Amino acid sequence: KVEDWEVNVRTQYLDELLRLDGRGSFIETDACGVCTKGIGVFRCKICIGGGLRCSTCIVSEHMRMPLHPILKWNGSFFEKTALSALGLRIQLGHDIGTCGHPEPGPCNFLVVDLTGFHRVSINFCACKRNGVVTERYVQLLRTQWFPATFDSPATAFTFDLLDFFHQLTHQAKTNAYDFLCTIQQRTDSTGVEKEIHRYNEFACVVRIWRHLILIKRAGRGHDPSGIEAALAGSCVITCLACPIPGVNLPEGWDSMSVLIIWLFALFLSVDANFKLRLKARGISFFQLGSGWSYSVEDDDYNEVTDSFGEQTEENNCESQHSAIIKANTRNAKGYLASGIAGLVCGRHTLVRPSAFGDLKKGERYCSIDYLLLATLIGAGVKLVFLTYDIACQWVKNFPSRVKKFPARLRRSVKGITLRTAVPKAHIEAHGPSCHSKHSLNTQPYVGRTYGEGVEQQWSHINSVATSTREMGPGARKEVLNDHWNWWNWRKCILFGPHFKKNLEHAISMHEKHHDLFIEFSSTFPKKVVEEWSAMVDTWVADQTKPDPYAEPVVETTMNDIRLQLAKEDDADKARSRTVPHELSPSAFLFNGLQLEEQQRAIRHQVSASSHRTPTQQAELQETRNTLRNRIQIWQTVQDVHMPFVPALRHQNSTASADLSEPITADNPPSASILADNIPLFLPSSLPNNAAGSCESLRKMEYRLRYAQCDDALADIRRLRRVLKNVTYFKAKNITGTGGKANTRARTLYNRFQGRVTKAVEKYRDGRAALEKLDAGGAWANRFQVLNSGDVRGPGMEDGNSFGHFEQSWIWLVPPQQGEPRVDDDTAERYGESVRVEWSKSKARVMRWGEECHLIVEEMRRVLVSLESKAVEWDTRRSSRVAQSADVQDGLAAYAAKQAYHLRELRLRFASLWLPVLHDNESKLSNTVVGCEVDSYTKSVIVALKDLFNFVPPKEMTTDTTKDITKDDEPSSESDNELDNEEELDLD
């Protein structure tokens, strides 16, 4: 802990830091720590130990470490010096042997490293190989120093520096200027030395470095057709889990049943980002590898989109979504681009190839159309599911707009079925007409796709927005493509734990919601469930049919709500009538329960407000006086039916009386007890020794209390529906109209909420009585403990996710008297709200079941894709014949390394996934989605276990088990099986 460090060792730590500024162990000698002959005055800042060396030894030790900073003891302190000043000259161009023709390089050659700026003395090699002298820039590159220019270089940046900056800018989004300033400060933070400015050179070198790493990793150096033959979108890291025909889909996938082929759909998500703007600064448009990766080629993109001219997008949706508004917004003055638009894969959020382009005049449909068509070139899939913030608007005229695009773009969607939806976080901003037709919660065969992955990608890339808007158009695209490449790779290597976690969660949630759905359905007659199920199936097949998910629209006015309140107030007064003297036992108990309810009403009134006017206090006292009189009248009848109660009543009133006042005839003990707290001594509240004296009354009270709980639940459900209507009415008609109207609506809401609270207390009192009358009886299965969190619904509330939503148990109890119903058990008896909740409950279990199947299929595709890429790198080992043997060796080594890492990643993923697949094989092959897809998923699991020779951990033995995570070369037989996809032909 920091506190412990401060108390115990802070001084010692500081002393050790100060000691390093001195000579340390060499304070009593000036001899060199190596040869002991020379004078030791030099120290290396990096080498371990920090011992002093003479000039000869320090140079000898750093022949292969020429960029270590050196310090010299001047008699008082250590000052900086350079190895070049001590006579070190660096010979380039010779890894083996001695150079016979050294040629001095530029004086004070500058090398920029992570350790700082270094002035070094270098010799180039002028020896001829095959009659040719190696170019100076080549000699620098072979030293892993990147020259600032290929013509007469005088400055170089180390590969280590460039690689570190490359990774740092990905992770921390550090810009080149700040990074180079940090290196300058590492060189000299005192301000004594003259600053060295190499920002322009560094920015240029970083552009080239990024481009070289991009094309190297894309295998362009291995292509015999050359770098220039790169196709659009070919220098990218593709999603391993998305479907790629001919790579990771099973044979015959395109002829499979429609009940299975949805597993091979390509999910895409499109959006625009208006933070990634670009200033017009008159900088060159030149871009390295334009159109080769994630951004489309600008010339063609601009030509096609400009041909559409002015577009005005009409908003026919009930929402006022910002994308519609921005679609007609021109770019701000002084900007070349008002933002950028693009697509990612909808389930894994990897950036798609040839999918991003600048926006000149807002979020126009022609820009989105072009990017979608461009990224689908060569996709080869049959089904595409696209999510877009304004999909409900965009998709309407998409077919007619496509006809205006060039044929090469139109062909990309030929034979493709396009389905659309609005992302889950945006669907609530749309009108009710969009909620079912464009919701990922109700659309079939989409699993638990969220559709907001593109927003995550924007969050990542927005960190570079402030720096990229100042760049030239070409450099900006290069930086964005580079960051997207890193984003995609990080996503790919995290697929292992990501899919494992998601599958375990999906299996658990499918089980949970399946049980909840079965429980919910069991509360309705079979024919009602069949009717609702048929309605869902009909709507899925034809969405012009009645929508089973549409919330019932109740035309509620403020006067309607006030009238309902007035009627309920009259009913409350009617129930507070005077109790007659002669009552039957059942009437006596019923009136007792009414008195108990009036007590609850007064207690609720008292707790609702702590500050009352004198008038309100007087009214409260009059109410209590009236209630006391009624209780006293009722007690005279109680004395007849329960003759042992007067003694209990006297005993209780004496114990509860305010003894500060003497007990007299004018001040009996009961007078000091508030009317709403007077115990009524109903049979359920009697002590055990008196309970047996009124067994018949206890049975009567049990029946009344049972009905009381049912009535209370019915009231809670009814009032919660009213509250939902009040909230809906306020949101649609009052919000934004001023404080007065909002205050009135809030007052009405609070009054109904107060009634809910009273109904909750009524239920809890009734249940507590049942517990005393028949502890642990059959009633407990129907009337559960009512916690505050259970009083919710109907439907989801703020903060709930559709897929994780659990209906409160109060809606799972079949309706009883007090709720709308008809004489027979039909769907109308339960109302539209209940039907909607049942439909949504079914949708939940279906989406979780689909998610299970989708994840298993994605796991299979990832494993097949990794092996396919590894095989591709294997073929690249000898695909190109280089001009020199050493380059040929490098080509083979790099290809072998890439193939090795891909197979290691594949084995790691398999080791994470196969145990989960094995343990849940029966669950995954027995979902609610359908027998055909269950069978397919089971065959996938079996094939994967066979492919990796998986043995369950409990069946493993140390003698016979092969650990699939070990570095074992796959057999030639396994290679052939995978190449031919025989093991993965799961049709």
Side-chain angles (χ1 to χ4, degrees):
K1 294 182 179 180
V2 176
E3 294 87 346
D4 296 338
W5 174 87
E6 179 188 22
V7 173
N8 298 318
V9 295
R10 178 168 63 178
T11 301
Q12 291 87 331
Y13 271 61
L14 180 59
D15 288 346
E16 290 300 318
L17 292 180
L18 291 170
R19 179 182 180 275
L20 293 175
D21 281 298
R23 288 167 290 173
S25 303
F26 287 78
I27 192 172
E28 297 179 356
T29 179
D30 58 359
C32 173
V34 176
C35 67
T36 69
K37 297 177 181 179
I39 299 176
V41 293
F42 298 99
R43 170 193 290 172
C44 178
K45 288 182 67 175
I46 295 178
C47 292
I48 296 175
L52 299 185
R53 305 287 188 267
C54 64
S55 60
T56 302
C57 291
I58 200 75
V59 170
S60 176
E61 288 182 340
H62 288 82
M63 291 296 291
R64 292 291 179 180
M65 298 175 289
L67 302 182
H68 280 199
I70 304 300
L71 302 175
K72 178 183 178 181
W73 181 256
N74 64 8
S76 299
F77 59 88
F78 283 103
E79 61 183 1
K80 289 196 300 182
T81 187
L83 286 167
S84 59
L86 301 179
L88 176 63
R89 292 194 70 84
I90 305 168
Q91 179 62 55
L92 305 181
H94 276 272
D95 297 330
I96 302 174
T98 304
C99 180
H101 301 85
E103 188 175 87
C107 183
N108 291 324
F109 190 92
L110 180 65
V111 179
V112 185
D113 183 45
L114 286 172
T115 56
F117 290 79
H118 301 274
R119 296 291 184 180
V120 298
S121 299
I122 62 172
N123 289 332
F124 288 103
C125 174
C127 301
K128 292 185 177 180
R129 295 175 178 81
N130 298 324
V132 179
V133 176
T134 305
E135 294 284 353
R136 288 190 171 191
Y137 72 86
V138 174
Q139 295 183 43
L140 287 169
L141 289 172
R142 291 179 179 179
T143 311
Q144 298 188 51
W145 292 357
F146 203 107
T149 176
F150 62 87
D151 184 19
S152 302
T155 301
F157 302 89
T158 64
F159 282 18
D160 192 35
L161 173 90
L162 295 173
D163 183 63
F164 182 80
F165 171 71
H166 199 197
Q167 295 191 38
L168 184 67
T169 190
H170 287 156
Q171 187 66 49
K173 304 299 181 284
T174 304
N175 60 64
Y177 178 80
D178 289 337
F179 179 79
L180 204 61
C181 286
T182 302
I183 300 300
Q184 174 67 54
Q185 290 169 22
R186 292 203 72 192
T187 306
D188 174 45
S189 60
T190 64
V192 174
E193 299 180 9
K194 182 181 179 181
E195 287 190 1
I196 303 174
H197 299 282
R198 290 293 186 275
Y199 172 73
N200 290 335
E201 294 85 343
F202 183 63
C204 180
V205 166
V206 166
R207 284 187 68 180
I208 298 172
W209 178 266
R210 283 187 172 119
H211 178 68
L212 288 173
I213 297 301
L214 176 72
I215 59 179
K216 177 185 176 184
R217 291 173 177 170
R220 296 311 310 162
H222 294 74
D223 194 329
S225 60
I227 298 173
E228 294 76 11
L231 300 176
S234 61
C235 297
V236 298
I237 295 174
T238 56
C239 180
L240 301 171
C242 284
I244 308 175
V247 175
N248 60 15
L249 292 185
E251 286 187 24
W253 67 273
D254 52 349
S255 60
M256 289 185 180
S257 165
V258 293
L259 300 176
I260 298 178
I261 204 169
W262 59 270
L263 290 172
F264 314 128
L266 175 62
F267 288 81
L268 299 177
S269 182
V270 62
D271 194 24
N273 185 344
F274 292 92
K275 291 185 178 181
L276 290 172
R277 298 187 292 174
L278 174 63
K279 287 185 177 180
R281 302 181 62 203
I283 304 177
S284 170
F285 277 74
F286 175 75
Q287 178 185 350
L288 290 168
S290 177
W292 289 2
S293 51
Y294 304 99
S295 298
V296 294
E297 203 280 318
D298 284 327
D299 291 340
D300 182 73
Y301 171 72
N302 292 332
E303 180 183 352
V304 173
T305 54
D306 289 346
S307 67
F308 281 80
E310 296 293 333
Q311 281 186 315
T312 301
E313 317 300 351
E314 296 183 2
N315 180 14
N316 297 319
C317 179
E318 297 176 26
S319 70
Q320 287 294 323
H321 199 280
S322 61
I324 293 289
I325 300 172
K326 291 176 180 176
N328 302 313
T329 304
R330 293 182 179 271
N331 58 296
K333 184 178 180 180
Y335 283 88
L336 286 176
S338 61
I340 198 167
L343 297 97
V344 302
C345 62
R347 286 184 56 80
H348 321 108
T349 70
L350 272 79
V351 178
R352 289 282 302 175
S354 300
F356 281 76
D358 286 331
L359 298 173
K360 293 183 179 180
K361 300 180 180 179
E363 195 171 343
R364 298 194 304 164
Y365 288 168
C366 63
S367 298
I368 304 300
D369 297 343
Y370 182 100
L371 298 174
L372 174 62
L373 297 176
T375 197
L376 287 178
I377 293 176
V381 295
K382 298 183 67 174
L383 175 62
V384 173
F385 203 103
L386 179 73
T387 62
Y388 185 20
D389 298 352
I390 51 174
C392 55
Q393 291 293 105
W394 172 85
V395 75
K396 287 182 179 179
N397 298 314
F398 176 69
S400 61
R401 294 196 304 270
V402 168
K403 296 177 182 178
K404 300 178 183 179
F405 281 85
R408 57 184 174 79
L409 291 172
R410 293 200 307 268
R411 283 194 294 269
S412 66
V413 291
K414 185 177 181 181
I416 288 180
T417 299
L418 178 67
R419 295 175 58 196
T420 60
V422 176
K424 290 183 178 179
H426 288 80
I427 189 66
E428 292 301 323
H430 288 250
S433 61
C434 296
H435 285 180
S436 298
K437 293 181 180 179
H438 299 281
S439 172
L440 289 165
N441 293 322
T442 55
Q443 291 293 314
Y445 304 131
V446 298
R448 288 282 300 151
T449 304
Y450 186 45
E452 298 284 358
V454 68
E455 301 289 350
Q456 299 176 20
Q457 191 281 133
W458 291 144
S459 177
H460 152 258
I461 202 67
N462 280 344
S463 300
V464 300
T466 54
S467 58
T468 56
R469 72 184 178 193
E470 305 290 342
M471 297 178 180
R476 169 175 170 267
K477 289 289 182 64
E478 293 165 13
V479 170
L480 294 176
N481 287 330
D482 182 57
H483 281 270
W484 286 326
N485 217 40
W486 177 82
W487 168 270
N488 278 11
W489 178 243
R490 290 295 302 171
K491 285 288 182 180
C492 284
I493 63 178
L494 293 176
F495 274 168
H498 174 76
F499 280 142
K500 177 178 182 290
K501 177 182 176 181
N502 284 3
L503 180 59
E504 290 174 336
H505 183 60
I507 293 170
S508 172
M509 295 305 294
H510 176 259
E511 262 193 306
K512 181 177 184 177
H513 284 281
H514 179 264
D515 293 343
L516 290 173
F517 175 67
I518 295 301
E519 180 184 0
F520 193 17
S521 297
S522 66
T523 62
F524 307 108
K526 183 178 179 181
K527 65 178 182 180
V528 172
V529 172
E530 290 175 349
E531 182 179 341
W532 288 344
S533 183
M535 184 179 182
V536 172
D537 294 340
T538 301
W539 181 82
V540 168
D542 181 3
Q543 295 188 1
T544 62
K545 300 297 183 181
D547 185 355
Y549 304 104
E551 294 285 351
V553 178
V554 180
E555 296 297 334
T556 306
T557 66
M558 200 68 74
N559 289 331
D560 293 334
I561 297 174
R562 289 175 177 170
L563 178 61
Q564 185 173 354
L565 284 171
K567 289 180 178 180
E568 292 185 2
D569 289 340
D570 290 340
D572 289 341
K573 293 179 181 179
R575 285 193 295 269
S576 301
R577 62 186 182 277
T578 302
V579 180
H581 287 274
E582 296 181 0
L583 294 174
S584 65
S586 60
F588 151 71
L589 287 176
F590 179 76
N591 280 337
L593 296 184
Q594 285 190 319
L595 292 173
E596 183 185 72
E597 186 167 353
Q598 293 168 35
Q599 287 181 317
R600 278 194 298 270
I602 294 177
R603 288 196 295 267
H604 175 75
Q605 181 183 352
V606 171
S607 63
S609 176
S610 57
H611 302 285
R612 300 179 185 83
T613 64
T615 301
Q616 291 173 332
Q617 292 179 4
E619 291 176 351
L620 175 62
Q621 186 59 49
E622 289 175 358
T623 302
R624 280 175 167 162
N625 293 341
T626 301
L627 176 60
R628 184 185 297 277
N629 292 334
R630 291 169 181 160
I631 290 176
Q632 289 175 351
I633 295 173
W634 178 79
Q635 286 176 339
T636 60
V637 182
Q638 184 182 38
D639 294 345
V640 175
H641 293 288
M642 304 173 69
F644 50 85
V645 167
L648 296 174
R649 193 184 303 133
H650 177 76
Q651 180 181 354
N652 182 77
S653 61
T654 302
S656 305
D658 183 0
L659 299 183
S660 61
E661 296 290 338
I663 298 176
T664 63
D666 296 330
N667 182 36
S670 60
S672 61
I673 304 175
L674 296 176
D676 40 301
N677 292 329
I678 295 176
L680 299 180
F681 293 104
L682 291 166
S684 59
S685 63
L686 295 178
N688 293 333
N689 57 356
S693 303
C694 55
E695 189 62 32
S696 61
L697 290 176
R698 286 172 61 88
K699 292 180 179 180
M700 292 181 186
E701 185 183 0
Y702 173 87
R703 296 171 63 185
L704 290 171
R705 292 292 189 180
Y706 195 99
Q708 175 183 336
C709 290
D710 263 331
D711 289 346
L713 283 179
D715 285 340
I716 294 171
R717 291 191 290 258
R718 176 181 59 83
L719 291 168
R720 287 297 306 176
R721 291 193 187 98
V722 173
L723 283 175
K724 187 169 184 177
N725 291 333
V726 171
T727 303
Y728 179 78
F729 178 85
K730 180 177 181 294
K732 297 295 289 185
N733 301 287
I734 296 178
T735 299
T737 61
K740 187 175 182 180
N742 275 281
T743 300
R744 289 178 176 174
R746 186 65 190 175
T747 300
L748 287 173
Y749 183 93
N750 290 339
R751 290 183 66 181
F752 274 103
Q753 185 59 49
R755 294 181 183 276
V756 172
T757 303
K758 287 193 288 185
V760 169
E761 293 173 355
K762 178 180 178 180
Y763 173 84
R764 289 172 177 168
D765 288 346
R767 191 183 186 283
L770 286 175
E771 185 66 41
K772 293 180 180 179
L773 294 169
D774 183 21
W779 60 269
N781 295 326
R782 180 179 179 84
F783 303 126
Q784 302 179 33
V785 175
L786 184 61
N787 298 312
S788 298
D790 297 327
V791 186
R792 51 186 167 85
M796 294 187 295
E797 299 176 359
D798 292 342
N800 290 126
S801 156
F802 181 90
H804 293 81
F805 172 72
E806 295 181 31
Q807 186 68 272
S808 172
W809 67 266
I810 66 174
W811 302 94
L812 305 180
V813 179
Q816 296 292 316
Q817 292 181 357
E819 293 188 84
R821 58 172 296 173
V822 293
D823 294 336
D824 57 340
D825 282 334
T826 63
E828 287 76 11
R829 168 184 173 180
Y830 301 94
E832 292 185 23
S833 295
V834 178
R835 183 258 300 157
V836 168
E837 290 308 316
W838 181 90
S839 301
K840 290 181 177 180
S841 179
K842 180 178 182 179
R844 268 181 221 108
V845 68
M846 290 296 292
R847 299 298 86 78
W848 280 115
E850 293 162 2
E851 182 70 7
C852 292
H853 293 295
L854 279 170
I855 294 176
V856 173
E857 170 61 16
E858 287 166 343
M859 287 178 168
R860 185 196 66 79
R861 290 202 291 255
V862 168
L863 297 175
V864 176
S865 296
L866 285 169
E867 179 60 24
S868 176
K869 288 182 177 293
V871 170
E872 186 178 0
W873 278 107
D874 285 339
T875 61
R876 286 174 177 167
R877 296 179 68 170
S878 57
S879 60
R880 172 194 162 199
V881 179
Q883 293 181 351
S884 62
D886 50 355
V887 173
Q888 190 71 54
D889 185 64
L891 289 170
Y894 184 75
K897 180 178 69 173
Q898 292 293 87
Y900 169 80
H901 287 309
L902 288 168
R903 288 193 171 100
E904 284 296 297
L905 195 62
R906 176 174 176 263
L907 289 174
R908 177 172 173 264
F909 288 174
S911 68
L912 288 172
W913 299 340
L914 289 178
V916 180
L917 293 174
H918 173 77
D919 293 342
N920 296 281
E921 184 175 339
S922 60
K923 296 178 182 178
L924 291 168
S925 57
N926 188 29
T927 67
V928 298
V929 183
C931 296
E932 288 193 53
V933 72
D934 286 346
S935 177
Y936 173 81
T937 297
K938 181 177 178 63
S939 66
V940 168
I941 297 173
V942 172
L944 289 178
K945 291 196 297 184
D946 291 344
L947 183 64
F948 288 91
N949 299 317
F950 176 75
V951 179
K954 61 183 179 181
E955 299 176 15
M956 289 184 177
T957 64
T958 56
D959 296 328
T960 61
T961 301
K962 175 182 177 181
D963 186 354
I964 64 171
T965 64
K966 298 297 183 183
D967 179 19
D968 292 325
E969 290 292 336
S971 65
S972 58
E973 181 181 0
S974 297
D975 282 343
N976 292 335
E977 289 176 351
L978 189 59
D979 290 343
N980 298 328
E981 292 193 349
E982 293 174 358
E983 288 294 316
L984 298 174
D985 180 10
L986 306 175
D987 186 11

